[in-house]
PDB file of all heavy atoms in Angstrom:
ATOM      1  N   PRO A 100      17.861  15.104 -16.202  1.00  0.00           N
ATOM      2  CA  PRO A 100      18.133  16.190 -17.144  1.00  0.00           C
ATOM      3  C   PRO A 100      17.352  17.469 -16.848  1.00  0.00           C
ATOM      4  O   PRO A 100      17.879  18.571 -16.966  1.00  0.00           O
ATOM      5  CB  PRO A 100      17.718  15.614 -18.503  1.00  0.00           C
ATOM      6  CG  PRO A 100      17.799  14.153 -18.339  1.00  0.00           C
ATOM      7  CD  PRO A 100      17.465  13.883 -16.902  1.00  0.00           C
ATOM      8  N   TYR A 101      16.108  17.321 -16.441  1.00  0.00           N
ATOM      9  CA  TYR A 101      15.284  18.486 -16.099  1.00  0.00           C
ATOM     10  C   TYR A 101      15.839  19.195 -14.864  1.00  0.00           C
ATOM     11  O   TYR A 101      15.936  20.425 -14.833  1.00  0.00           O
ATOM     12  CB  TYR A 101      13.853  18.014 -15.875  1.00  0.00           C
ATOM     13  CG  TYR A 101      12.845  19.098 -15.616  1.00  0.00           C
ATOM     14  CD1 TYR A 101      12.786  20.231 -16.402  1.00  0.00           C
ATOM     15  CD2 TYR A 101      11.916  18.978 -14.587  1.00  0.00           C
ATOM     16  CE1 TYR A 101      11.837  21.216 -16.170  1.00  0.00           C
ATOM     17  CE2 TYR A 101      10.973  19.946 -14.356  1.00  0.00           C
ATOM     18  CZ  TYR A 101      10.941  21.072 -15.147  1.00  0.00           C
ATOM     19  OH  TYR A 101      10.018  22.042 -14.910  1.00  0.00           O
ATOM     20  N   LEU A 102      16.230  18.420 -13.867  1.00  0.00           N
ATOM     21  CA  LEU A 102      16.817  19.004 -12.667  1.00  0.00           C
ATOM     22  C   LEU A 102      18.160  19.668 -12.991  1.00  0.00           C
ATOM     23  O   LEU A 102      18.449  20.768 -12.510  1.00  0.00           O
ATOM     24  CB  LEU A 102      16.994  17.936 -11.591  1.00  0.00           C
ATOM     25  CG  LEU A 102      17.553  18.413 -10.267  1.00  0.00           C
ATOM     26  CD1 LEU A 102      16.585  19.367  -9.594  1.00  0.00           C
ATOM     27  CD2 LEU A 102      17.853  17.233  -9.365  1.00  0.00           C
ATOM     28  N   TYR A 103      18.963  19.022 -13.829  1.00  0.00           N
ATOM     29  CA  TYR A 103      20.254  19.594 -14.218  1.00  0.00           C
ATOM     30  C   TYR A 103      20.054  20.922 -14.950  1.00  0.00           C
ATOM     31  O   TYR A 103      20.768  21.894 -14.694  1.00  0.00           O
ATOM     32  CB  TYR A 103      21.012  18.604 -15.107  1.00  0.00           C
ATOM     33  CG  TYR A 103      22.315  19.145 -15.623  1.00  0.00           C
ATOM     34  CD1 TYR A 103      23.426  19.221 -14.801  1.00  0.00           C
ATOM     35  CD2 TYR A 103      22.436  19.597 -16.934  1.00  0.00           C
ATOM     36  CE1 TYR A 103      24.637  19.721 -15.253  1.00  0.00           C
ATOM     37  CE2 TYR A 103      23.626  20.102 -17.408  1.00  0.00           C
ATOM     38  CZ  TYR A 103      24.728  20.155 -16.564  1.00  0.00           C
ATOM     39  OH  TYR A 103      25.907  20.674 -17.032  1.00  0.00           O
ATOM     40  N   HIS A 104      19.085  20.967 -15.838  1.00  0.00           N
ATOM     41  CA  HIS A 104      18.792  22.198 -16.571  1.00  0.00           C
ATOM     42  C   HIS A 104      18.390  23.320 -15.613  1.00  0.00           C
ATOM     43  O   HIS A 104      18.868  24.450 -15.731  1.00  0.00           O
ATOM     44  CB  HIS A 104      17.675  21.943 -17.590  1.00  0.00           C
ATOM     45  CG  HIS A 104      17.204  23.148 -18.314  1.00  0.00           C
ATOM     46  ND1 HIS A 104      17.958  23.777 -19.283  1.00  0.00           N
ATOM     47  CD2 HIS A 104      16.064  23.876 -18.198  1.00  0.00           C
ATOM     48  CE1 HIS A 104      17.307  24.826 -19.734  1.00  0.00           C
ATOM     49  NE2 HIS A 104      16.141  24.911 -19.091  1.00  0.00           N
ATOM     50  N   ASN A 105      17.521  22.992 -14.654  1.00  0.00           N
ATOM     51  CA  ASN A 105      17.092  23.995 -13.690  1.00  0.00           C
ATOM     52  C   ASN A 105      18.239  24.478 -12.811  1.00  0.00           C
ATOM     53  O   ASN A 105      18.361  25.672 -12.539  1.00  0.00           O
ATOM     54  CB  ASN A 105      15.965  23.449 -12.814  1.00  0.00           C
ATOM     55  CG  ASN A 105      14.661  23.332 -13.557  1.00  0.00           C
ATOM     56  OD1 ASN A 105      14.486  23.913 -14.627  1.00  0.00           O
ATOM     57  ND2 ASN A 105      13.742  22.579 -13.001  1.00  0.00           N
ATOM     58  N   VAL A 106      19.089  23.571 -12.377  1.00  0.00           N
ATOM     59  CA  VAL A 106      20.235  23.952 -11.538  1.00  0.00           C
ATOM     60  C   VAL A 106      21.202  24.833 -12.329  1.00  0.00           C
ATOM     61  O   VAL A 106      21.715  25.835 -11.805  1.00  0.00           O
ATOM     62  CB  VAL A 106      20.941  22.699 -10.981  1.00  0.00           C
ATOM     63  CG1 VAL A 106      22.280  23.043 -10.350  1.00  0.00           C
ATOM     64  CG2 VAL A 106      20.043  21.999  -9.968  1.00  0.00           C
ATOM     65  N   GLN A 107      21.435  24.500 -13.582  1.00  0.00           N
ATOM     66  CA  GLN A 107      22.336  25.321 -14.410  1.00  0.00           C
ATOM     67  C   GLN A 107      21.769  26.724 -14.612  1.00  0.00           C
ATOM     68  O   GLN A 107      22.511  27.710 -14.545  1.00  0.00           O
ATOM     69  CB  GLN A 107      22.585  24.648 -15.760  1.00  0.00           C
ATOM     70  CG  GLN A 107      23.499  23.457 -15.675  1.00  0.00           C
ATOM     71  CD  GLN A 107      24.858  23.828 -15.105  1.00  0.00           C
ATOM     72  OE1 GLN A 107      25.441  24.846 -15.459  1.00  0.00           O
ATOM     73  NE2 GLN A 107      25.354  23.000 -14.213  1.00  0.00           N
ATOM     74  N   LEU A 108      20.493  26.826 -14.877  1.00  0.00           N
ATOM     75  CA  LEU A 108      19.883  28.147 -15.027  1.00  0.00           C
ATOM     76  C   LEU A 108      19.990  28.949 -13.732  1.00  0.00           C
ATOM     77  O   LEU A 108      20.263  30.152 -13.761  1.00  0.00           O
ATOM     78  CB  LEU A 108      18.412  28.023 -15.436  1.00  0.00           C
ATOM     79  CG  LEU A 108      18.124  27.619 -16.861  1.00  0.00           C
ATOM     80  CD1 LEU A 108      16.623  27.464 -17.068  1.00  0.00           C
ATOM     81  CD2 LEU A 108      18.687  28.629 -17.836  1.00  0.00           C
ATOM     82  N   TYR A 109      19.778  28.285 -12.606  1.00  0.00           N
ATOM     83  CA  TYR A 109      19.846  28.976 -11.322  1.00  0.00           C
ATOM     84  C   TYR A 109      21.267  29.426 -11.003  1.00  0.00           C
ATOM     85  O   TYR A 109      21.484  30.557 -10.551  1.00  0.00           O
ATOM     86  CB  TYR A 109      19.309  28.072 -10.208  1.00  0.00           C
ATOM     87  CG  TYR A 109      19.272  28.750  -8.873  1.00  0.00           C
ATOM     88  CD1 TYR A 109      18.259  29.654  -8.572  1.00  0.00           C
ATOM     89  CD2 TYR A 109      20.250  28.512  -7.920  1.00  0.00           C
ATOM     90  CE1 TYR A 109      18.221  30.294  -7.353  1.00  0.00           C
ATOM     91  CE2 TYR A 109      20.222  29.144  -6.696  1.00  0.00           C
ATOM     92  CZ  TYR A 109      19.205  30.033  -6.412  1.00  0.00           C
ATOM     93  OH  TYR A 109      19.179  30.675  -5.207  1.00  0.00           O
ATOM     94  N   LEU A 110      22.243  28.559 -11.248  1.00  0.00           N
ATOM     95  CA  LEU A 110      23.633  28.912 -10.947  1.00  0.00           C
ATOM     96  C   LEU A 110      24.165  30.012 -11.860  1.00  0.00           C
ATOM     97  O   LEU A 110      25.004  30.811 -11.443  1.00  0.00           O
ATOM     98  CB  LEU A 110      24.523  27.669 -11.048  1.00  0.00           C
ATOM     99  CG  LEU A 110      24.304  26.610  -9.974  1.00  0.00           C
ATOM    100  CD1 LEU A 110      25.193  25.405 -10.226  1.00  0.00           C
ATOM    101  CD2 LEU A 110      24.535  27.185  -8.580  1.00  0.00           C
ATOM    102  N   GLN A 111      23.679  30.064 -13.085  1.00  0.00           N
ATOM    103  CA  GLN A 111      24.100  31.107 -14.018  1.00  0.00           C
ATOM    104  C   GLN A 111      23.246  32.366 -13.884  1.00  0.00           C
ATOM    105  O   GLN A 111      23.423  33.313 -14.639  1.00  0.00           O
ATOM    106  CB  GLN A 111      24.015  30.585 -15.455  1.00  0.00           C
ATOM    107  CG  GLN A 111      24.968  29.465 -15.742  1.00  0.00           C
ATOM    108  CD  GLN A 111      24.705  28.821 -17.084  1.00  0.00           C
ATOM    109  OE1 GLN A 111      23.797  29.202 -17.814  1.00  0.00           O
ATOM    110  NE2 GLN A 111      25.508  27.815 -17.417  1.00  0.00           N
ATOM    111  N   ARG A 112      22.326  32.361 -12.947  1.00  0.00           N
ATOM    112  CA  ARG A 112      21.419  33.481 -12.677  1.00  0.00           C
ATOM    113  C   ARG A 112      20.601  33.865 -13.919  1.00  0.00           C
ATOM    114  O   ARG A 112      20.368  35.035 -14.187  1.00  0.00           O
ATOM    115  CB  ARG A 112      22.181  34.687 -12.159  1.00  0.00           C
ATOM    116  CG  ARG A 112      23.018  34.398 -10.950  1.00  0.00           C
ATOM    117  CD  ARG A 112      22.782  35.439  -9.887  1.00  0.00           C
ATOM    118  NE  ARG A 112      23.643  35.215  -8.734  1.00  0.00           N
ATOM    119  CZ  ARG A 112      23.225  34.638  -7.620  1.00  0.00           C
ATOM    120  NH1 ARG A 112      22.010  34.211  -7.532  1.00  0.00           N
ATOM    121  NH2 ARG A 112      24.042  34.488  -6.603  1.00  0.00           N
TER     122      ARG A 112
END
Side-chain angles (χ1 to χ4, degrees):
Y101 184 47
L102 182 65
Y103 176 76
H104 175 72
N105 287 344
V106 168
Q107 286 301 317
L108 286 177
Y109 183 78
L110 291 177
Q111 295 170 0
R112 305 228 183 259

